[in-house]
Amino acid sequence: MKILKRAIEKSILNNLQSNKVVVILGARRTGKTILLKQIIEKLDEPYLLLNGEDQNSADILSIRTVKNYKNILGDKRVLIIDEAQKIENIGQILKLMIDEISGLKIIITGSSIFDISNKIGEPLVGRKWTYHLYPIFESEYNQIENRIEKIDNLRERLIFGNYPELMHIPNRERKKQYLQEIINSYLLKDILTFENLRNSSKIQNLLRLVARQIGKKVSYHELGKQLSMSKNTVERYLDLLSKVFILYRVDGFSRNLRKEISKSSKWYFYDNGIRNVLINNLNQLELRNDVGALWENYIISERIKFQQYNRMLVGNYFWQTYDQQEIDWIEDRDGKLFAYEMKWKKVNVKIPTAWKKAYPESKFSIINKENYGDWVL
C-alpha cells in the first residue's frame, strides 16, 4: 500500500514543543489519522493517543482537574487527540493541561473550523501552531511518480481528485463509489450536526449549483431563488461549507477603480473529484466540455495548498471589470501584485488593457499543463 509522507510532517515535528498545542485541521478522509501514525513512528518519547469520537476518551477528560490529567498521562509527555472537536470544553481542558503540566506536548486534529476554532481559539491564544491538511498535494506525488507518469496521472486527477485512498482503488467505477460514499457519509457530517439537519439534500443541491459555476461570479440571490432559500441562508451554508474544507471563497480585487467589480465572489472546490461527483460527470477529458473549469479549479486548489504549506502571507482574488475584462487569479503579496490566467493548453493570452494601465508594475503569467509545476511544486 502506498502511503505518502505529507508535506507538513517535518514542520509539525519541529514545532512539537513543550507546553504547546499543534492543531491539524482538514476535511474528513484527507489522511489526518494516517499522518498521526506517521508522526507517532518518529516520536522518541512515550505518548497517549485518544479519539474524540470515542465516548470513553470524552469521559476521562471531562473531570477538569490537574490531578486527573496527571493520572491519565502517567509518564507520557505527548498527548494526541484525534477529532478533538467532539470533546466538550476541549479548549479549556487543553489550556489547563498546557499551563499546569510541565513539559507536556499536545497534538490534536479536527475536521471543522467552526467546532475547533470556537472551542480552542481564545483559550489557546499564543499556545498553539495550526496546520491545514488537504487531499494529496501535487509535490507529494513526486515520491511515487516520475515526470512522464505525472502528465498521465494529472488527467485522472482532474476527474477524480486527490483523496488519499483513491491511490489504492484500481478502477473508475469503484473510485466513483468511493467519492459518493465520502459525500454521503463523511463530508457533510459536521455541517448536519452543527445545523441539526436530518438530511443533506439542501446542502447537496446548493453544492451542485456552485459546482456548475466554477470560475464564474456567484449570485447568492439567484442561488436562493433556485433553492427556495433566503439569500442569508445561502450565504450561511456556503460559509459553513468553507469551514469544513469543501469550498474556497475568492473575492473580487479592486483598488477603488470605478469599473472594477469588488462585491462579488467566486467559489472553488478543494477537490475536483467531489465537484465532479456532485454534477454526476466522471467522464474522461476528451468527452467533456468543462475542461477549462476543471483545470482552473484544480490548479487553484493546488496553489492554495502550496501557499498554506509554505506559510505564505498572501491575499487571493479574481479581477473583473463591468466591461468584461477579467483575470482568473490575483495574488497580493510582498507589496506586489501577481496576475495569472489558467489555461489547460498552451495558448497566448494578452494582459487586459485596463489591468495593465491601472497596475503597470504587476507581473502577468499564464498557468497551463506545461508549466504548472513552477507554480505549485
Side-chain angles (χ1 to χ4, degrees), residues 43 48 231:
L43 295 178
L48 174 65
K231 173 177 173 288

Side-chain angles (χ1 to χ4, degrees), residues 266-278:
K266 293 182 180 182
W267 289 84
Y268 294 93
F269 282 77
Y270 279 109
D271 187 77
N272 272 37
I274 299 301
R275 183 262 181 182
N276 289 329
V277 166
L278 284 164

Side-chain angles (χ1 to χ4, degrees), residues 287-303:
L287 303 176
R288 304 183 69 113
N289 60 6
D290 62 347
V291 176
L294 287 176
W295 176 243
E296 184 173 339
N297 190 90
Y298 184 84
I299 201 61
I300 283 176
S301 68
E302 291 303 300
R303 182 63 172 179

